[in-house]
Amino acid sequence: MNRVFVYAFMYLAILFPCGGAIGAEALTLHGLFADNMILQRDIPLPVWGTSVAGDKVAVSFSGKTQEAVADKDGKWIVKLDPLKASSEAQAMTVSSSIGNQKLKIENVLVGDVWLCSG
């Protein structure tokens, strides 16, 4: 049941972004992605942001790389393959082909993500 909430939260965040201007010139990640985060295990993981239209963006994590091309509005999204839980912190790297921009997120774990409200 908790995975349903994670999916709903991720897709709502795609529909109603709170970080980065659309069509921004610089490579950006959505505000959900930051140092010290935990990614949900055993599901495909969307990672998204903005860049220059037509930019080829590569996301590398846990020894695997997925690529996407930014659309006419500069939006891009990749889906990482499902990962097993891990207590070993890793880094996620996002790079662009235009301008050789790179972003690095440190101390990323894979496990269970719980969303609660009260």
Side-chain angles (χ1 to χ4, degrees):
M1 180 88 163
N2 68 338
R3 290 183 183 168
V4 172
F5 293 114
V6 171
Y7 279 128
F9 182 75
M10 287 180 167
Y11 288 115
L12 283 174
I14 290 170
L15 293 175
F16 303 101
C18 63
I22 294 174
E25 301 243 349
L27 175 66
T28 64
L29 273 169
H30 189 277
L32 288 174
F33 303 99
D35 290 344
N36 308 312
M37 72 177 176
I38 299 175
L39 299 173
Q40 179 63 45
R41 67 183 173 103
D42 299 331
I43 63 168
L45 297 164
V47 178
W48 65 94
T50 60
S51 189
V52 177
D55 192 6
K56 186 187 231 181
V57 177
V59 177
S60 299
F61 183 71
S62 190
K64 297 179 183 171
T65 301
Q66 298 288 343
E67 295 181 344
V69 176
D71 67 14
K72 65 180 176 70
D73 295 323
K75 297 179 191 177
W76 58 267
I77 185 169
V78 301
K79 280 199 177 178
L80 300 176
D81 294 331
L83 299 164
K84 296 293 180 195
S86 172
S87 60
E88 182 180 325
Q90 300 179 61
M92 178 185 289
T93 304
V94 181
S95 58
S96 69
S97 63
I98 297 176
N100 284 337
Q101 301 174 69
K102 287 193 178 189
L103 303 173
K104 190 170 188 179
I105 299 173
E106 300 283 349
N107 197 31
V108 179
L109 296 175
V110 179
D112 285 318
V113 177
W114 292 76
L115 298 176
C116 303
S117 67

